[in-house]
Amino acid sequence: MVALGVLVLALAVREIFRDLFQPSGSGALSSYIGAWIFQVARKLTFLLQIAGPLAVVVVIACWTFLLAASFALIYSASYPDGFAIQGEPRHGVSEFVTLLAFSLASLTTVGTPDLSPKPEWLRLTVAVESLLGFSLVTASISWIVLIWGWSAWSASPP
């Protein structure tokens, strides 16, 4: 599971990097999502006016989910022994849901009292995830400002 988590993490970071720092060579995920949303919006014309902003929000949500899911997969190798857990450890699908919730809380730098990593390497991994989450928020806001700032600048008369 750790290898799958690292692979998903690498793909997510690659997509985010390509979208933010190489906008002309946009990532495959954002291109697919944008094309799909505009295709749906052409059929449901009431969505056409918000298709662009909706595509940006969905792309950012996908980035967030991919990062959280990748860290949840990484954490699954150490669950339950690598965590101080309040209550009974969960297994099966609810184990992944618990780790996904922990990962989302760590990604947003809020944290959760339900799970606390024990080993130092796991605590460091949670800290790295929090830094990535903070970077994602900053990058997302910058991306939105860049898109709408550029469109406002290019639409203004000379």
Side-chain angles (χ1 to χ4, degrees), residues 37-144:
I37 287 178
F38 275 97
Q39 196 173 34
V40 169
R42 283 188 198 102
K43 292 180 171 98
L44 305 172
T45 54
F46 67 92
L47 285 177
L48 206 49
Q49 285 187 328
I50 63 165
L54 181 62
V56 170
V57 169
V58 170
V59 167
I60 293 169
C62 286
W63 290 345
T64 304
F65 178 76
L66 283 172
L67 288 177
S70 66
F71 278 100
L73 288 168
I74 292 168
Y75 298 147
S76 69
S78 299
Y79 184 84
D81 298 331
F83 290 90
I85 304 169
Q86 287 185 352
E88 291 295 315
R90 300 180 185 208
H91 299 286
V93 173
S94 62
E95 173 184 329
F96 184 75
V97 171
T98 299
L99 291 171
L100 185 62
F102 172 74
S103 182
L104 283 168
S106 298
L107 194 65
T108 59
T109 69
V110 172
T112 178
D114 298 343
L115 291 176
S116 179
K118 290 179 189 175
E120 293 299 320
W121 73 269
L122 200 53
R123 294 172 68 182
L124 184 61
T125 304
V126 171
V128 167
E129 182 181 12
S130 295
L131 287 172
L132 272 174
F134 186 73
S135 299
L136 180 65
V137 169
T138 305
S140 298
I141 291 169
S142 299
W143 192 42
I144 291 168

Side-chain angles (χ1 to χ4, degrees), residues 14-36:
R14 178 186 171 269
E15 284 296 314
I16 294 167
F17 184 85
R18 288 194 65 192
D19 279 336
L20 294 175
F21 299 111
Q22 298 173 338
S24 61
S26 184
L29 178 67
S30 63
S31 296
Y32 174 75
I33 289 170
W36 179 77

